[in-house]
Amino acid sequence: MSIADNVQAIRRRMDEAALAAGRDPKDVLLCAATKMNDADRVKEAVAAGVDCCGENRVQELMQKQPLGAYEGVPVHFIGHLQTNKVKYLVGQVALIHSVESERLAAEISRRAEALGLRQPCLLEVNIGAEENKRGCAEADLPSLAAYAAGLPGLDVRGLMTVPPIGTPEEADGWFARMKELYDGLAPAYGYTVLSMGMSGDFPAAVRRGATVVRVGTAIFGPRDYGPAR
Ligand SMILES: *Cc1c(COP(=O)(O)O)cnc(C)c1O
């Protein structure tokens, strides 16, 4: 299957899931998770009609952007962001999905203010309370949301999560919980974006209210991490 075939098949499954949940398929965006795929492959996905591209590493983004990899669609940052890399992203990406702490939020805001803009962001939640997973703890989300809403350089649009690896039923439970958290905060803060669902579970995420799914493997095939070192 080509990248174009894969994108078409994913879109069909997204549409089915949206309709099954009584949602408008147009309300769900397909973000291509492009990590480890070169500029030519990313261009193929863009040509096939993905809505946006999501990169995990600042360096990879800065290598592919000058090659026109994302031309025609917005580029998002979806990976772990170190505060010392914030300066490369602010004003360069349409959405940062991975704000997980007050420290990171403050640094993004500071850099954005210096450029005279407000950086669109999402707050990442460690919904499974996993030890080695990024994202803020569920218990800390209300205070992070309040803090981020008060930062002049930040434009928080909603929430993002990467749930624990598990069965489809388990994933569905995590997505349902994320939707509850989202619904609890959205009226107060005007959130419109809920980023959840990957190759193995995006239909469940769409049924539970995702407005962006981040799909890599199902578009590009398995990532080649090279020989073990
Ligand atoms: C890699 C990645 C994805 C996509 O994962 P697949 O299982 O390949 O679809 C989504 N979100 C984040 C944050 C990722 O790092």
Side-chain angles (χ1 to χ4, degrees), residues 33 35 56 78 160 162 198-199 214-217 223:
K35 60 173 175 272
N56 281 73
I78 64 175
M160 178 269 216
V162 181
M198 314 197 327
S199 290
R214 309 174 311 268
V215 179
T217 309
R223 287 177 286 273

Short mmCIF file of all heavy atoms in Angstrom, two decimals, residues 33 35 56 78 160 162 198-199 214-217 223, ligand 1:
data_model
loop_
_atom_site.label_atom_id
_atom_site.label_comp_id
_atom_site.label_asym_id
_atom_site.label_seq_id
_atom_site.Cartn_x
_atom_site.Cartn_y
_atom_site.Cartn_z
N ALA A 33 2.15 11.95 11.89
CA ALA A 33 3.30 11.92 12.81
C ALA A 33 4.51 11.49 11.98
O ALA A 33 4.66 10.33 11.63
CB ALA A 33 3.04 10.95 13.96
N LYS A 35 7.88 11.66 12.36
CA LYS A 35 9.24 11.37 12.87
C LYS A 35 9.89 10.21 12.11
O LYS A 35 9.25 9.22 11.81
CB LYS A 35 9.18 11.06 14.36
CG LYS A 35 8.35 9.87 14.76
CD LYS A 35 8.52 9.57 16.26
CE LYS A 35 7.59 8.46 16.70
NZ LYS A 35 6.26 8.92 17.12
N ASN A 56 8.45 15.29 16.22
CA ASN A 56 8.82 15.01 17.61
C ASN A 56 10.10 15.69 18.06
O ASN A 56 10.29 15.89 19.25
CB ASN A 56 9.03 13.51 17.82
CG ASN A 56 7.74 12.78 17.97
OD1 ASN A 56 7.03 12.62 16.98
ND2 ASN A 56 7.42 12.38 19.18
N ILE A 78 4.91 17.72 18.40
CA ILE A 78 4.16 16.77 19.23
C ILE A 78 5.04 16.02 20.23
O ILE A 78 4.55 15.24 21.02
CB ILE A 78 3.37 15.76 18.36
CG1 ILE A 78 4.31 14.87 17.53
CG2 ILE A 78 2.38 16.48 17.46
CD1 ILE A 78 3.58 13.77 16.75
N MET A 160 -3.85 17.28 25.16
CA MET A 160 -3.27 16.20 24.38
C MET A 160 -2.88 15.07 25.32
O MET A 160 -2.55 15.31 26.48
CB MET A 160 -2.03 16.73 23.66
CG MET A 160 -1.27 15.70 22.84
SD MET A 160 0.03 14.85 23.75
CE MET A 160 1.26 14.67 22.46
N VAL A 162 -0.95 10.84 25.33
CA VAL A 162 -0.49 9.55 24.79
C VAL A 162 -0.79 8.53 25.88
O VAL A 162 -0.07 8.46 26.87
CB VAL A 162 1.02 9.56 24.48
CG1 VAL A 162 1.46 8.22 23.92
CG2 VAL A 162 1.39 10.70 23.54
N MET A 198 -3.68 7.31 18.01
CA MET A 198 -2.53 7.04 17.15
C MET A 198 -2.90 5.86 16.24
O MET A 198 -4.07 5.49 16.15
CB MET A 198 -1.29 6.76 18.02
CG MET A 198 -1.17 7.79 19.14
SD MET A 198 0.41 7.97 20.00
CE MET A 198 1.11 6.37 20.04
N SER A 199 -1.91 5.27 15.58
CA SER A 199 -2.21 4.24 14.57
C SER A 199 -3.11 3.12 15.10
O SER A 199 -4.01 2.67 14.41
CB SER A 199 -0.91 3.63 14.04
OG SER A 199 -0.23 4.58 13.26
N ARG A 214 -3.11 11.74 15.78
CA ARG A 214 -1.71 11.81 15.34
C ARG A 214 -1.29 10.42 14.88
O ARG A 214 -1.12 9.52 15.69
CB ARG A 214 -0.81 12.27 16.50
CG ARG A 214 -1.30 13.56 17.20
CD ARG A 214 -0.42 13.84 18.41
NE ARG A 214 -0.26 12.68 19.26
CZ ARG A 214 -1.03 12.38 20.29
NH1 ARG A 214 -2.01 13.18 20.66
NH2 ARG A 214 -0.82 11.28 20.99
N VAL A 215 -1.15 10.25 13.58
CA VAL A 215 -0.95 8.90 13.03
C VAL A 215 0.37 8.83 12.25
O VAL A 215 0.59 9.62 11.33
CB VAL A 215 -2.14 8.52 12.12
CG1 VAL A 215 -1.93 7.13 11.52
CG2 VAL A 215 -3.45 8.58 12.89
N GLY A 216 1.22 7.88 12.66
CA GLY A 216 2.50 7.70 11.98
C GLY A 216 2.58 6.38 11.22
O GLY A 216 2.50 6.33 10.00
N THR A 217 2.70 5.30 11.97
CA THR A 217 2.92 3.97 11.38
C THR A 217 1.86 3.60 10.34
O THR A 217 2.20 3.03 9.29
CB THR A 217 2.92 2.91 12.52
OG1 THR A 217 3.83 3.34 13.53
CG2 THR A 217 3.36 1.56 11.99
N ARG A 223 8.62 2.38 11.51
CA ARG A 223 9.80 3.25 11.47
C ARG A 223 11.06 2.40 11.55
O ARG A 223 11.11 1.43 12.28
CB ARG A 223 9.75 4.25 12.63
CG ARG A 223 8.70 5.33 12.42
CD ARG A 223 8.63 6.27 13.60
NE ARG A 223 7.97 5.67 14.75
CZ ARG A 223 6.65 5.69 14.95
NH1 ARG A 223 5.84 6.26 14.07
NH2 ARG A 223 6.12 5.13 16.01
C1 LIG B 1 5.05 8.69 17.05
C2 LIG B 1 3.94 9.43 17.68
C3 LIG B 1 2.62 9.27 17.23
C4 LIG B 1 2.23 8.30 16.15
O1 LIG B 1 2.41 6.97 16.56
P1 LIG B 1 2.02 5.75 15.59
O2 LIG B 1 1.73 4.64 16.52
O3 LIG B 1 3.21 5.51 14.73
O4 LIG B 1 0.84 6.17 14.82
C5 LIG B 1 1.65 10.05 17.84
N1 LIG B 1 1.94 10.92 18.83
C6 LIG B 1 3.18 11.08 19.29
C7 LIG B 1 3.43 12.05 20.38
C8 LIG B 1 4.22 10.34 18.74
O5 LIG B 1 5.45 10.49 19.22
#
